[in-house]
Amino acid sequence: MTSLDRSTALLPDSDAFAALLRDIAAGAADRDRNDENPVEQVAALKRAGFGTLRLPAAFGGPGLSVTQLFSAIIDVARADPIVAHIFRTHFWFVEERLRTSSDPLSAEWLSTVAQGKTFGNAFSEKGSNAVGSLVFNTRLLPAEQGYRLDGEKFYSTGTLFSDYLTVTATTDHDSVATVVVPADRDGVQIIDDWDGFGQRRTGTGTTVFTGVAVSEDEVLSDTPYDAEPQPTVQYASLQLFIHAVVAGILESVVDDGVTLLRSRERSFSHAVTERPTDDPLLQRQLGEIASTAAIARAAVLDAAAAIEAATESYGEDRVPDAELAIAAQLKVAKVKVHLDAVAPEAATRLLELGGASAASRSRNLDRHWRNIRTITLHNPVGLKARAIGQNLLHGTALPANAYF
């Protein structure tokens, strides 16, 4: 694995970053097949400064735009979508701290990011509470010094590989708090028990908090349940990250499609041509898959540009222009609806380029479909499409939570 100086971020358009991604991609299929955690690969990206890409120069980073960041996320997902997905909550954390960077506490956390530290999530819970309701069984209660955190989370993507954990919890005064604690603090237990058929090694398992001490300056927010929602693009950004991973997988599907066809030495006796690479039907199918991947990248980056426009509209209250925020949310939602329809099909059609031999376990080409289908299940596409339609017909507001 390439050894890199953490103090200098590798720019996504550099030869060194491309070499790092080739290194990550080289073992992606084997790691998936052998069910191995990408510990070294995540560490290499952290050393390369991947987690600092959005930090402006004042905070020790290269200051990439939102659109440039999402392009880099697609590139990492092309190399290994497992590795890319692990950083999802980290970039949400960074963006929220950038939004409030004038606050001394946010500035301090941004300095921690500049040191190469990454932040995982412990938001979702199992149980009967509606997803997105922001009502949690995990509790943050006053203690002798600061607070005490107790509870159990699931779908803790990235936590296994992170230095800090962002945690949501119910307080004793009808509010939801978000706190950040070191991953190795006493009382924190990270269990690698995610058993999904795709995105298997993202650390998306159980995180348990038992009497975890939380100081005052580790409470990021404390929002009353009846607070009026403010315009935001942070939820849209969280969702677009998922779609960027799908776009990266589609580009990997194209790469494997080219390799697969070139590896075939024979075709069927009733095929159009003797050589598969000369078969116009297979050429067309590969071209259609490549077109799907190209449109996926373009759609993700178009939505990222809308998020960027809303981000640049922040006023003194650090809240984006409401119309720009809604426009970004709608674009991100439409990307989801489209990709959910075309991405799994593209991954399926990849297998048809190789016939029965494409099902070889050693090739592990089915990982693309498994990864796409798993990551698209993060929220129901039907509810998202309906929300778009309601907005078009009646101007109905979009759901104001991180799960839409």
mmCIF file with all atom_site columns, all heavy atoms in Angstrom, residues 196-220:
data_model
loop_
_atom_site.group_PDB
_atom_site.id
_atom_site.type_symbol
_atom_site.label_atom_id
_atom_site.label_alt_id
_atom_site.label_comp_id
_atom_site.label_asym_id
_atom_site.label_entity_id
_atom_site.label_seq_id
_atom_site.pdbx_PDB_ins_code
_atom_site.Cartn_x
_atom_site.Cartn_y
_atom_site.Cartn_z
_atom_site.occupancy
_atom_site.B_iso_or_equiv
_atom_site.pdbx_formal_charge
_atom_site.auth_seq_id
_atom_site.auth_comp_id
_atom_site.auth_asym_id
_atom_site.auth_atom_id
_atom_site.pdbx_PDB_model_num
ATOM 1   N N   . GLY A 1 196 ? -25.544 -7.902  5.562  1.00 0.00 ? 196 GLY A N   1
ATOM 2   C CA  . GLY A 1 196 ? -26.153 -7.664  4.260  1.00 0.00 ? 196 GLY A CA  1
ATOM 3   C C   . GLY A 1 196 ? -25.460 -8.428  3.148  1.00 0.00 ? 196 GLY A C   1
ATOM 4   O O   . GLY A 1 196 ? -24.277 -8.769  3.251  1.00 0.00 ? 196 GLY A O   1
ATOM 5   N N   . PHE A 1 197 ? -26.178 -8.695  2.056  1.00 0.00 ? 197 PHE A N   1
ATOM 6   C CA  . PHE A 1 197 ? -25.549 -9.408  0.936  1.00 0.00 ? 197 PHE A CA  1
ATOM 7   C C   . PHE A 1 197 ? -24.713 -8.480  0.072  1.00 0.00 ? 197 PHE A C   1
ATOM 8   O O   . PHE A 1 197 ? -23.955 -8.928  -0.788 1.00 0.00 ? 197 PHE A O   1
ATOM 9   C CB  . PHE A 1 197 ? -26.590 -10.162 0.092  1.00 0.00 ? 197 PHE A CB  1
ATOM 10  C CG  . PHE A 1 197 ? -27.641 -9.307  -0.565 1.00 0.00 ? 197 PHE A CG  1
ATOM 11  C CD1 . PHE A 1 197 ? -27.341 -8.452  -1.605 1.00 0.00 ? 197 PHE A CD1 1
ATOM 12  C CD2 . PHE A 1 197 ? -28.968 -9.396  -0.154 1.00 0.00 ? 197 PHE A CD2 1
ATOM 13  C CE1 . PHE A 1 197 ? -28.317 -7.686  -2.229 1.00 0.00 ? 197 PHE A CE1 1
ATOM 14  C CE2 . PHE A 1 197 ? -29.956 -8.635  -0.773 1.00 0.00 ? 197 PHE A CE2 1
ATOM 15  C CZ  . PHE A 1 197 ? -29.632 -7.780  -1.809 1.00 0.00 ? 197 PHE A CZ  1
ATOM 16  N N   . GLY A 1 198 ? -24.841 -7.171  0.279  1.00 0.00 ? 198 GLY A N   1
ATOM 17  C CA  . GLY A 1 198 ? -24.029 -6.199  -0.432 1.00 0.00 ? 198 GLY A CA  1
ATOM 18  C C   . GLY A 1 198 ? -23.487 -5.165  0.534  1.00 0.00 ? 198 GLY A C   1
ATOM 19  O O   . GLY A 1 198 ? -23.935 -5.080  1.683  1.00 0.00 ? 198 GLY A O   1
ATOM 20  N N   . GLN A 1 199 ? -22.517 -4.362  0.078  1.00 0.00 ? 199 GLN A N   1
ATOM 21  C CA  . GLN A 1 199 ? -21.867 -3.359  0.946  1.00 0.00 ? 199 GLN A CA  1
ATOM 22  C C   . GLN A 1 199 ? -21.491 -4.010  2.268  1.00 0.00 ? 199 GLN A C   1
ATOM 23  O O   . GLN A 1 199 ? -21.722 -3.451  3.346  1.00 0.00 ? 199 GLN A O   1
ATOM 24  C CB  . GLN A 1 199 ? -22.801 -2.163  1.156  1.00 0.00 ? 199 GLN A CB  1
ATOM 25  C CG  . GLN A 1 199 ? -23.129 -1.387  -0.110 1.00 0.00 ? 199 GLN A CG  1
ATOM 26  C CD  . GLN A 1 199 ? -21.905 -0.733  -0.730 1.00 0.00 ? 199 GLN A CD  1
ATOM 27  O OE1 . GLN A 1 199 ? -21.355 -1.209  -1.724 1.00 0.00 ? 199 GLN A OE1 1
ATOM 28  N NE2 . GLN A 1 199 ? -21.446 0.348   -0.161 1.00 0.00 ? 199 GLN A NE2 1
ATOM 29  N N   . ARG A 1 200 ? -20.884 -5.187  2.205  1.00 0.00 ? 200 ARG A N   1
ATOM 30  C CA  . ARG A 1 200 ? -20.750 -6.043  3.375  1.00 0.00 ? 200 ARG A CA  1
ATOM 31  C C   . ARG A 1 200 ? -19.708 -5.584  4.382  1.00 0.00 ? 200 ARG A C   1
ATOM 32  O O   . ARG A 1 200 ? -19.825 -5.854  5.566  1.00 0.00 ? 200 ARG A O   1
ATOM 33  C CB  . ARG A 1 200 ? -20.428 -7.481  2.928  1.00 0.00 ? 200 ARG A CB  1
ATOM 34  C CG  . ARG A 1 200 ? -21.575 -8.135  2.193  1.00 0.00 ? 200 ARG A CG  1
ATOM 35  C CD  . ARG A 1 200 ? -21.364 -9.601  1.957  1.00 0.00 ? 200 ARG A CD  1
ATOM 36  N NE  . ARG A 1 200 ? -20.148 -9.892  1.209  1.00 0.00 ? 200 ARG A NE  1
ATOM 37  C CZ  . ARG A 1 200 ? -19.970 -11.026 0.514  1.00 0.00 ? 200 ARG A CZ  1
ATOM 38  N NH1 . ARG A 1 200 ? -20.926 -11.933 0.502  1.00 0.00 ? 200 ARG A NH1 1
ATOM 39  N NH2 . ARG A 1 200 ? -18.868 -11.232 -0.152 1.00 0.00 ? 200 ARG A NH2 1
ATOM 40  N N   . ARG A 1 201 ? -18.679 -4.894  3.919  1.00 0.00 ? 201 ARG A N   1
ATOM 41  C CA  . ARG A 1 201 ? -17.586 -4.559  4.816  1.00 0.00 ? 201 ARG A CA  1
ATOM 42  C C   . ARG A 1 201 ? -17.501 -3.064  5.106  1.00 0.00 ? 201 ARG A C   1
ATOM 43  O O   . ARG A 1 201 ? -16.420 -2.513  5.244  1.00 0.00 ? 201 ARG A O   1
ATOM 44  C CB  . ARG A 1 201 ? -16.267 -5.059  4.221  1.00 0.00 ? 201 ARG A CB  1
ATOM 45  C CG  . ARG A 1 201 ? -16.159 -6.563  4.122  1.00 0.00 ? 201 ARG A CG  1
ATOM 46  C CD  . ARG A 1 201 ? -15.948 -7.181  5.489  1.00 0.00 ? 201 ARG A CD  1
ATOM 47  N NE  . ARG A 1 201 ? -17.143 -7.803  6.028  1.00 0.00 ? 201 ARG A NE  1
ATOM 48  C CZ  . ARG A 1 201 ? -17.348 -8.025  7.315  1.00 0.00 ? 201 ARG A CZ  1
ATOM 49  N NH1 . ARG A 1 201 ? -16.481 -7.639  8.215  1.00 0.00 ? 201 ARG A NH1 1
ATOM 50  N NH2 . ARG A 1 201 ? -18.438 -8.620  7.729  1.00 0.00 ? 201 ARG A NH2 1
ATOM 51  N N   . THR A 1 202 ? -18.655 -2.403  5.195  1.00 0.00 ? 202 THR A N   1
ATOM 52  C CA  . THR A 1 202 ? -18.692 -0.966  5.481  1.00 0.00 ? 202 THR A CA  1
ATOM 53  C C   . THR A 1 202 ? -18.769 -0.672  6.971  1.00 0.00 ? 202 THR A C   1
ATOM 54  O O   . THR A 1 202 ? -18.901 0.480   7.362  1.00 0.00 ? 202 THR A O   1
ATOM 55  C CB  . THR A 1 202 ? -19.899 -0.311  4.783  1.00 0.00 ? 202 THR A CB  1
ATOM 56  O OG1 . THR A 1 202 ? -21.090 -1.003  5.171  1.00 0.00 ? 202 THR A OG1 1
ATOM 57  C CG2 . THR A 1 202 ? -19.750 -0.334  3.277  1.00 0.00 ? 202 THR A CG2 1
ATOM 58  N N   . GLY A 1 203 ? -18.696 -1.713  7.805  1.00 0.00 ? 203 GLY A N   1
ATOM 59  C CA  . GLY A 1 203 ? -18.802 -1.493  9.243  1.00 0.00 ? 203 GLY A CA  1
ATOM 60  C C   . GLY A 1 203 ? -20.202 -1.099  9.665  1.00 0.00 ? 203 GLY A C   1
ATOM 61  O O   . GLY A 1 203 ? -20.386 -0.434  10.692 1.00 0.00 ? 203 GLY A O   1
ATOM 62  N N   . THR A 1 204 ? -21.196 -1.496  8.877  1.00 0.00 ? 204 THR A N   1
ATOM 63  C CA  . THR A 1 204 ? -22.577 -1.088  9.121  1.00 0.00 ? 204 THR A CA  1
ATOM 64  C C   . THR A 1 204 ? -23.240 -2.035  10.117 1.00 0.00 ? 204 THR A C   1
ATOM 65  O O   . THR A 1 204 ? -24.110 -2.826  9.754  1.00 0.00 ? 204 THR A O   1
ATOM 66  C CB  . THR A 1 204 ? -23.360 -1.073  7.790  1.00 0.00 ? 204 THR A CB  1
ATOM 67  O OG1 . THR A 1 204 ? -22.673 -0.244  6.866  1.00 0.00 ? 204 THR A OG1 1
ATOM 68  C CG2 . THR A 1 204 ? -24.759 -0.508  7.973  1.00 0.00 ? 204 THR A CG2 1
ATOM 69  N N   . GLY A 1 205 ? -22.806 -1.986  11.356 1.00 0.00 ? 205 GLY A N   1
ATOM 70  C CA  . GLY A 1 205 ? -23.339 -2.905  12.350 1.00 0.00 ? 205 GLY A CA  1
ATOM 71  C C   . GLY A 1 205 ? -23.827 -2.201  13.599 1.00 0.00 ? 205 GLY A C   1
ATOM 72  O O   . GLY A 1 205 ? -24.269 -1.059  13.554 1.00 0.00 ? 205 GLY A O   1
ATOM 73  N N   . THR A 1 206 ? -23.731 -2.900  14.718 1.00 0.00 ? 206 THR A N   1
ATOM 74  C CA  . THR A 1 206 ? -24.240 -2.410  15.995 1.00 0.00 ? 206 THR A CA  1
ATOM 75  C C   . THR A 1 206 ? -23.175 -1.601  16.732 1.00 0.00 ? 206 THR A C   1
ATOM 76  O O   . THR A 1 206 ? -22.008 -1.968  16.747 1.00 0.00 ? 206 THR A O   1
ATOM 77  C CB  . THR A 1 206 ? -24.669 -3.601  16.877 1.00 0.00 ? 206 THR A CB  1
ATOM 78  O OG1 . THR A 1 206 ? -25.682 -4.341  16.199 1.00 0.00 ? 206 THR A OG1 1
ATOM 79  C CG2 . THR A 1 206 ? -25.198 -3.131  18.215 1.00 0.00 ? 206 THR A CG2 1
ATOM 80  N N   . THR A 1 207 ? -23.607 -0.510  17.342 1.00 0.00 ? 207 THR A N   1
ATOM 81  C CA  . THR A 1 207 ? -22.751 0.272   18.242 1.00 0.00 ? 207 THR A CA  1
ATOM 82  C C   . THR A 1 207 ? -23.496 0.452   19.550 1.00 0.00 ? 207 THR A C   1
ATOM 83  O O   . THR A 1 207 ? -24.633 0.923   19.559 1.00 0.00 ? 207 THR A O   1
ATOM 84  C CB  . THR A 1 207 ? -22.399 1.642   17.639 1.00 0.00 ? 207 THR A CB  1
ATOM 85  O OG1 . THR A 1 207 ? -21.863 1.464   16.324 1.00 0.00 ? 207 THR A OG1 1
ATOM 86  C CG2 . THR A 1 207 ? -21.378 2.362   18.500 1.00 0.00 ? 207 THR A CG2 1
ATOM 87  N N   . VAL A 1 208 ? -22.853 0.060   20.642 1.00 0.00 ? 208 VAL A N   1
ATOM 88  C CA  . VAL A 1 208 ? -23.476 0.107   21.959 1.00 0.00 ? 208 VAL A CA  1
ATOM 89  C C   . VAL A 1 208 ? -22.779 1.148   22.828 1.00 0.00 ? 208 VAL A C   1
ATOM 90  O O   . VAL A 1 208 ? -21.539 1.217   22.853 1.00 0.00 ? 208 VAL A O   1
ATOM 91  C CB  . VAL A 1 208 ? -23.417 -1.275  22.642 1.00 0.00 ? 208 VAL A CB  1
ATOM 92  C CG1 . VAL A 1 208 ? -24.097 -1.222  24.018 1.00 0.00 ? 208 VAL A CG1 1
ATOM 93  C CG2 . VAL A 1 208 ? -24.069 -2.338  21.762 1.00 0.00 ? 208 VAL A CG2 1
ATOM 94  N N   . PHE A 1 209 ? -23.581 1.948   23.525 1.00 0.00 ? 209 PHE A N   1
ATOM 95  C CA  . PHE A 1 209 ? -23.056 2.960   24.434 1.00 0.00 ? 209 PHE A CA  1
ATOM 96  C C   . PHE A 1 209 ? -23.554 2.651   25.842 1.00 0.00 ? 209 PHE A C   1
ATOM 97  O O   . PHE A 1 209 ? -24.773 2.624   26.091 1.00 0.00 ? 209 PHE A O   1
ATOM 98  C CB  . PHE A 1 209 ? -23.520 4.355   24.004 1.00 0.00 ? 209 PHE A CB  1
ATOM 99  C CG  . PHE A 1 209 ? -23.112 4.715   22.596 1.00 0.00 ? 209 PHE A CG  1
ATOM 100 C CD1 . PHE A 1 209 ? -23.957 4.447   21.521 1.00 0.00 ? 209 PHE A CD1 1
ATOM 101 C CD2 . PHE A 1 209 ? -21.884 5.294   22.338 1.00 0.00 ? 209 PHE A CD2 1
ATOM 102 C CE1 . PHE A 1 209 ? -23.585 4.755   20.229 1.00 0.00 ? 209 PHE A CE1 1
ATOM 103 C CE2 . PHE A 1 209 ? -21.489 5.602   21.047 1.00 0.00 ? 209 PHE A CE2 1
ATOM 104 C CZ  . PHE A 1 209 ? -22.350 5.325   19.984 1.00 0.00 ? 209 PHE A CZ  1
ATOM 105 N N   . THR A 1 210 ? -22.625 2.423   26.745 1.00 0.00 ? 210 THR A N   1
ATOM 106 C CA  . THR A 1 210 ? -22.978 2.078   28.116 1.00 0.00 ? 210 THR A CA  1
ATOM 107 C C   . THR A 1 210 ? -22.293 3.030   29.080 1.00 0.00 ? 210 THR A C   1
ATOM 108 O O   . THR A 1 210 ? -21.072 2.941   29.317 1.00 0.00 ? 210 THR A O   1
ATOM 109 C CB  . THR A 1 210 ? -22.560 0.627   28.441 1.00 0.00 ? 210 THR A CB  1
ATOM 110 O OG1 . THR A 1 210 ? -23.104 -0.265  27.460 1.00 0.00 ? 210 THR A OG1 1
ATOM 111 C CG2 . THR A 1 210 ? -23.062 0.229   29.823 1.00 0.00 ? 210 THR A CG2 1
ATOM 112 N N   . GLY A 1 211 ? -23.059 3.970   29.595 1.00 0.00 ? 211 GLY A N   1
ATOM 113 C CA  . GLY A 1 211 ? -22.506 4.943   30.534 1.00 0.00 ? 211 GLY A CA  1
ATOM 114 C C   . GLY A 1 211 ? -21.350 5.739   29.974 1.00 0.00 ? 211 GLY A C   1
ATOM 115 O O   . GLY A 1 211 ? -20.380 6.033   30.675 1.00 0.00 ? 211 GLY A O   1
ATOM 116 N N   . VAL A 1 212 ? -21.441 6.115   28.704 1.00 0.00 ? 212 VAL A N   1
ATOM 117 C CA  . VAL A 1 212 ? -20.357 6.856   28.048 1.00 0.00 ? 212 VAL A CA  1
ATOM 118 C C   . VAL A 1 212 ? -20.377 8.315   28.502 1.00 0.00 ? 212 VAL A C   1
ATOM 119 O O   . VAL A 1 212 ? -21.405 8.993   28.408 1.00 0.00 ? 212 VAL A O   1
ATOM 120 C CB  . VAL A 1 212 ? -20.484 6.773   26.513 1.00 0.00 ? 212 VAL A CB  1
ATOM 121 C CG1 . VAL A 1 212 ? -19.387 7.586   25.847 1.00 0.00 ? 212 VAL A CG1 1
ATOM 122 C CG2 . VAL A 1 212 ? -20.435 5.320   26.059 1.00 0.00 ? 212 VAL A CG2 1
ATOM 123 N N   . ALA A 1 213 ? -19.256 8.787   28.977 1.00 0.00 ? 213 ALA A N   1
ATOM 124 C CA  . ALA A 1 213 ? -19.160 10.172  29.429 1.00 0.00 ? 213 ALA A CA  1
ATOM 125 C C   . ALA A 1 213 ? -19.100 11.117  28.239 1.00 0.00 ? 213 ALA A C   1
ATOM 126 O O   . ALA A 1 213 ? -18.347 10.891  27.289 1.00 0.00 ? 213 ALA A O   1
ATOM 127 C CB  . ALA A 1 213 ? -17.914 10.341  30.298 1.00 0.00 ? 213 ALA A CB  1
ATOM 128 N N   . VAL A 1 214 ? -19.916 12.170  28.297 1.00 0.00 ? 214 VAL A N   1
ATOM 129 C CA  . VAL A 1 214 ? -19.964 13.177  27.239 1.00 0.00 ? 214 VAL A CA  1
ATOM 130 C C   . VAL A 1 214 ? -19.810 14.550  27.880 1.00 0.00 ? 214 VAL A C   1
ATOM 131 O O   . VAL A 1 214 ? -20.551 14.890  28.809 1.00 0.00 ? 214 VAL A O   1
ATOM 132 C CB  . VAL A 1 214 ? -21.298 13.116  26.462 1.00 0.00 ? 214 VAL A CB  1
ATOM 133 C CG1 . VAL A 1 214 ? -21.333 14.208  25.384 1.00 0.00 ? 214 VAL A CG1 1
ATOM 134 C CG2 . VAL A 1 214 ? -21.498 11.748  25.835 1.00 0.00 ? 214 VAL A CG2 1
ATOM 135 N N   . SER A 1 215 ? -18.859 15.322  27.401 1.00 0.00 ? 215 SER A N   1
ATOM 136 C CA  . SER A 1 215 ? -18.647 16.655  27.947 1.00 0.00 ? 215 SER A CA  1
ATOM 137 C C   . SER A 1 215 ? -19.516 17.683  27.230 1.00 0.00 ? 215 SER A C   1
ATOM 138 O O   . SER A 1 215 ? -20.052 17.421  26.154 1.00 0.00 ? 215 SER A O   1
ATOM 139 C CB  . SER A 1 215 ? -17.172 17.047  27.839 1.00 0.00 ? 215 SER A CB  1
ATOM 140 O OG  . SER A 1 215 ? -16.787 17.118  26.479 1.00 0.00 ? 215 SER A OG  1
ATOM 141 N N   . GLU A 1 216 ? -19.618 18.849  27.812 1.00 0.00 ? 216 GLU A N   1
ATOM 142 C CA  . GLU A 1 216 ? -20.447 19.918  27.258 1.00 0.00 ? 216 GLU A CA  1
ATOM 143 C C   . GLU A 1 216 ? -20.035 20.268  25.836 1.00 0.00 ? 216 GLU A C   1
ATOM 144 O O   . GLU A 1 216 ? -20.883 20.488  24.963 1.00 0.00 ? 216 GLU A O   1
ATOM 145 C CB  . GLU A 1 216 ? -20.346 21.151  28.153 1.00 0.00 ? 216 GLU A CB  1
ATOM 146 C CG  . GLU A 1 216 ? -21.365 22.239  27.838 1.00 0.00 ? 216 GLU A CG  1
ATOM 147 C CD  . GLU A 1 216 ? -22.747 21.924  28.359 1.00 0.00 ? 216 GLU A CD  1
ATOM 148 O OE1 . GLU A 1 216 ? -22.870 21.420  29.490 1.00 0.00 ? 216 GLU A OE1 1
ATOM 149 O OE2 . GLU A 1 216 ? -23.717 22.174  27.614 1.00 0.00 ? 216 GLU A OE2 1
ATOM 150 N N   . ASP A 1 217 ? -18.722 20.331  25.592 1.00 0.00 ? 217 ASP A N   1
ATOM 151 C CA  . ASP A 1 217 ? -18.262 20.745  24.265 1.00 0.00 ? 217 ASP A CA  1
ATOM 152 C C   . ASP A 1 217 ? -18.326 19.622  23.230 1.00 0.00 ? 217 ASP A C   1
ATOM 153 O O   . ASP A 1 217 ? -17.917 19.809  22.086 1.00 0.00 ? 217 ASP A O   1
ATOM 154 C CB  . ASP A 1 217 ? -16.852 21.320  24.343 1.00 0.00 ? 217 ASP A CB  1
ATOM 155 C CG  . ASP A 1 217 ? -15.823 20.329  24.849 1.00 0.00 ? 217 ASP A CG  1
ATOM 156 O OD1 . ASP A 1 217 ? -16.211 19.183  25.188 1.00 0.00 ? 217 ASP A OD1 1
ATOM 157 O OD2 . ASP A 1 217 ? -14.637 20.692  24.919 1.00 0.00 ? 217 ASP A OD2 1
ATOM 158 N N   . GLU A 1 218 ? -18.819 18.452  23.620 1.00 0.00 ? 218 GLU A N   1
ATOM 159 C CA  . GLU A 1 218 ? -19.022 17.359  22.669 1.00 0.00 ? 218 GLU A CA  1
ATOM 160 C C   . GLU A 1 218 ? -20.472 17.271  22.208 1.00 0.00 ? 218 GLU A C   1
ATOM 161 O O   . GLU A 1 218 ? -20.820 16.389  21.424 1.00 0.00 ? 218 GLU A O   1
ATOM 162 C CB  . GLU A 1 218 ? -18.577 16.031  23.292 1.00 0.00 ? 218 GLU A CB  1
ATOM 163 C CG  . GLU A 1 218 ? -17.066 15.944  23.478 1.00 0.00 ? 218 GLU A CG  1
ATOM 164 C CD  . GLU A 1 218 ? -16.632 14.718  24.245 1.00 0.00 ? 218 GLU A CD  1
ATOM 165 O OE1 . GLU A 1 218 ? -17.423 14.202  25.072 1.00 0.00 ? 218 GLU A OE1 1
ATOM 166 O OE2 . GLU A 1 218 ? -15.485 14.271  24.038 1.00 0.00 ? 218 GLU A OE2 1
ATOM 167 N N   . VAL A 1 219 ? -21.314 18.177  22.666 1.00 0.00 ? 219 VAL A N   1
ATOM 168 C CA  . VAL A 1 219 ? -22.710 18.244  22.218 1.00 0.00 ? 219 VAL A CA  1
ATOM 169 C C   . VAL A 1 219 ? -22.761 19.195  21.020 1.00 0.00 ? 219 VAL A C   1
ATOM 170 O O   . VAL A 1 219 ? -22.564 20.405  21.153 1.00 0.00 ? 219 VAL A O   1
ATOM 171 C CB  . VAL A 1 219 ? -23.637 18.737  23.336 1.00 0.00 ? 219 VAL A CB  1
ATOM 172 C CG1 . VAL A 1 219 ? -25.077 18.830  22.824 1.00 0.00 ? 219 VAL A CG1 1
ATOM 173 C CG2 . VAL A 1 219 ? -23.555 17.813  24.542 1.00 0.00 ? 219 VAL A CG2 1
ATOM 174 N N   . LEU A 1 220 ? -23.018 18.645  19.846 1.00 0.00 ? 220 LEU A N   1
ATOM 175 C CA  . LEU A 1 220 ? -23.022 19.454  18.633 1.00 0.00 ? 220 LEU A CA  1
ATOM 176 C C   . LEU A 1 220 ? -24.305 20.259  18.489 1.00 0.00 ? 220 LEU A C   1
ATOM 177 O O   . LEU A 1 220 ? -24.296 21.386  18.006 1.00 0.00 ? 220 LEU A O   1
ATOM 178 C CB  . LEU A 1 220 ? -22.855 18.551  17.402 1.00 0.00 ? 220 LEU A CB  1
ATOM 179 C CG  . LEU A 1 220 ? -21.561 17.744  17.297 1.00 0.00 ? 220 LEU A CG  1
ATOM 180 C CD1 . LEU A 1 220 ? -21.592 16.867  16.065 1.00 0.00 ? 220 LEU A CD1 1
ATOM 181 C CD2 . LEU A 1 220 ? -20.351 18.657  17.274 1.00 0.00 ? 220 LEU A CD2 1
#
